[in-house]
Amino acid sequence: GNLPYAEFLEIKPPLSFVLFAPAAIGGRLSLFPMHVIGIFVTVATGLLVGRAVATWTKDPIAARVAPWLYVLATLCDVPAINGELLLNLPTAAALFCIAIGQGGLLRYDLLAGIAIGLASMCKHQGGMPLAAFGCVFFAQAICARSFGPIGRAFALVVGFSVPWLVAASIYLGAGR
């Protein structure tokens, strides 16, 4: 009944509480709803990974194999639902947005940043793609001797900030 970060000290990111709320459906704690959610998250993430690979590589075989490789790689997480499994979906969405944004459409980089921000709100390490993609954009800028990729990195950072600013405004609105 207490508000995390306001009435007690907590180090987990804010979405970790929201995402595990289905475990308390019906007034009693049960991980069964979380296992069902974990299966759907795994399938959705695999499909997004496949779309990202198809968009990025234009290789239909790689696009068909990628979801299966993802599912095989996450089999250790499926029986036990955890933050890492849940952060994979927004991370895959970020990868897909980066892939379709290769033409320089900043709105996709902004969406990728939002997805990475959401991933970091599941678990802190979900923010690591921000650094990875940012490094790629800066390397592209150096190699191309162009500022275009710097704009992509900036859009990524702005997008990343959006979910955190929304969470902060919720706490400020609650008088915290």
Side-chain angles (χ1 to χ4, degrees):
N2 290 331
L3 188 62
Y5 314 105
E7 280 123 12
F8 64 93
L9 181 62
E10 184 54 71
I11 60 170
K12 292 180 194 77
L15 274 184
S16 61
F17 295 102
V18 175
L19 293 173
F20 282 91
I25 289 177
R28 65 177 192 68
L29 293 177
S30 171
L31 284 180
F32 178 74
M34 296 309 302
H35 290 295
V36 173
I37 290 169
I39 291 167
F40 283 111
V41 166
T42 300
V43 169
T45 302
L47 293 173
L48 260 175
V49 166
R51 292 290 308 224
V53 169
T55 303
W56 206 311
T57 67
K58 310 288 191 256
D59 182 345
I61 294 172
R64 284 193 301 267
V65 170
W68 292 104
L69 291 175
Y70 168 76
V71 169
L72 288 172
T74 58
L75 280 179
C76 63
D77 283 335
V78 174
I81 186 82
N82 56 36
E84 286 84 0
L85 183 70
L86 296 174
L87 73 79
N88 287 340
L89 183 58
T91 301
L95 179 63
F96 179 64
C97 289
I98 293 291
I100 59 178
Q102 286 300 307
L105 298 172
L106 294 180
R107 69 177 174 258
Y108 292 113
D109 298 319
L110 184 69
L111 289 172
I114 291 170
I116 294 168
L118 289 171
S120 73
M121 294 179 81
C122 296
K123 241 177 126 96
H124 297 300
Q125 62 263 36
M128 288 311 296
L130 180 70
F133 291 131
C135 287
V136 168
F137 292 151
F138 281 108
Q140 287 175 340
I142 291 168
C143 290
R145 296 177 192 217
S146 166
F147 287 108
I150 302 296
R152 294 190 72 191
F154 182 73
L156 203 63
V157 170
V158 169
F160 177 83
S161 303
V162 169
W164 286 99
L165 291 172
V166 169
S169 69
I170 290 170
Y171 274 86
L172 288 173
R176 307 299 173 165

